[in-house]
Amino acid sequence: MTQPTHDEAHGGALGARLNWLRAAVLGANDGIVSTAGIVVGVAGATDARAALLTAGLAGLLAGSMSMAAGEYVSVSTQRDSERAAIALERRELREQPEAELDELTEMLRSRGLSREVAREAAVQLTRRDALRAHASVELGIDPDRLTDPWHAAWASFLSFTAGALLPLLAIVLPPAGLRLPVTVACVLAALVLTGWSSARLGAARPGRAVLRNVAGGVLAMAVTYAAGTLLGAAGV
């Protein structure tokens, strides 16, 4: 008889995957809103395609590089903290093995195991790989899967760029009279999608998330368009 297989991701693997997906969705959302605000603001002052392309491209590059650098610094700091915590556990296991065994036992007991079962589990885990056991149970870290700052940086760069391309292309490709309505329509549709996606990834109801997302995008475009119109009227 063929044994059933079960390949569903669990625990840390699933959580890490959801975190990456959520970060990608939020990065794309940032790219959409920030670039839309820039190009719509410039459109309020001028309908010159060259000016719109220059402003939108500058916003795309500046935003994507900023997002990538920010993620790299943030995740590098997290990785350094994880390494420091693992190094501390390694030293404690070397200097106080019995105390660390007692600590692991108590942590397993706090998860619902009886004292006898928790002690036996702690002993077996320690014999197999003490550092991995403490890193997983006490710190919630897999020593072989530390966060990668380069992955985070590239993910943020690409997701922001993908989101920013939509308002940039929407403002420069249509004829002059259609640029603003086409851009607004495309941006609103994209914000509905990213709002729905972020809500679904967070297991929340999408209606409120979509409304917040769209409202934020509309506010950003309205403010920048008004500013651009005023500056254009003033001849700045």
Side-chain angles (χ1 to χ4, degrees), residues 11-60:
L14 180 58
R17 185 180 305 172
L18 289 177
N19 284 336
W20 283 112
L21 288 172
R22 189 176 294 110
V25 169
L26 294 177
N29 193 78
D30 286 344
I32 294 167
V33 174
S34 61
T35 306
I38 291 172
V39 297
V40 168
V42 175
T46 177
D47 61 356
R49 192 187 304 270
L52 293 169
L53 177 60
T54 300
L57 189 58
L60 183 155

Side-chain angles (χ1 to χ4, degrees), residues 2-236:
T2 303
Q3 295 296 322
T5 59
H6 190 61
D7 297 327
E8 181 182 357
H10 289 87
L14 180 58
R17 185 180 305 172
L18 289 177
N19 284 336
W20 283 112
L21 288 172
R22 189 176 294 110
V25 169
L26 294 177
N29 193 78
D30 286 344
I32 294 167
V33 174
S34 61
T35 306
I38 291 172
V39 297
V40 168
V42 175
T46 177
D47 61 356
R49 192 187 304 270
L52 293 169
L53 177 60
T54 300
L57 189 58
L60 183 155
L61 293 174
S64 60
M65 294 300 294
S66 176
M67 288 283 291
E71 280 297 308
Y72 182 84
V73 171
S74 174
V75 176
S76 292
T77 301
Q78 179 183 345
R79 186 183 180 93
D80 292 343
S81 298
E82 291 173 343
R83 285 174 169 169
I86 290 173
L88 178 61
E89 281 300 321
R90 185 180 287 111
R91 187 175 76 244
E92 290 177 343
L93 284 167
R94 184 176 62 251
E95 297 175 353
Q96 308 172 45
E98 288 301 320
E100 288 298 296
L101 181 61
D102 292 340
E103 183 182 35
L104 183 58
T105 300
E106 290 304 314
M107 285 187 290
L108 293 173
R109 282 192 64 201
S110 70
R111 299 189 178 190
L113 299 180
S114 66
R115 173 175 289 278
E116 294 76 14
V117 173
R119 187 67 174 186
E120 179 61 25
V123 169
Q124 292 189 24
L125 288 170
T126 299
R127 286 175 180 170
R128 184 174 181 179
D129 191 330
L131 180 61
R132 181 179 297 278
H134 279 267
S136 176
V137 177
E138 182 177 349
L139 305 175
I141 298 174
D142 184 341
D144 295 330
R145 293 185 179 181
L146 298 182
T147 51
D148 190 328
W150 284 108
H151 287 172
W154 277 110
S156 295
F157 178 88
L158 294 174
S159 62
F160 186 97
T161 299
L165 280 173
L166 186 140
L168 176 59
L169 295 176
I171 202 73
V172 299
L173 293 182
L178 296 177
R179 285 174 188 161
L180 191 58
V182 167
T183 300
V184 172
C186 290
V187 167
L188 293 182
L191 292 177
V192 169
L193 178 60
T194 56
W196 180 87
S197 300
S198 62
R200 295 296 297 172
L201 289 171
R205 292 184 178 180
R208 186 172 297 178
V210 168
L211 182 61
R212 286 196 302 261
N213 218 32
V214 170
V218 169
L219 180 61
M221 289 188 289
V223 169
T224 56
Y225 182 76
T229 301
L230 291 174
L231 290 173
V236 178

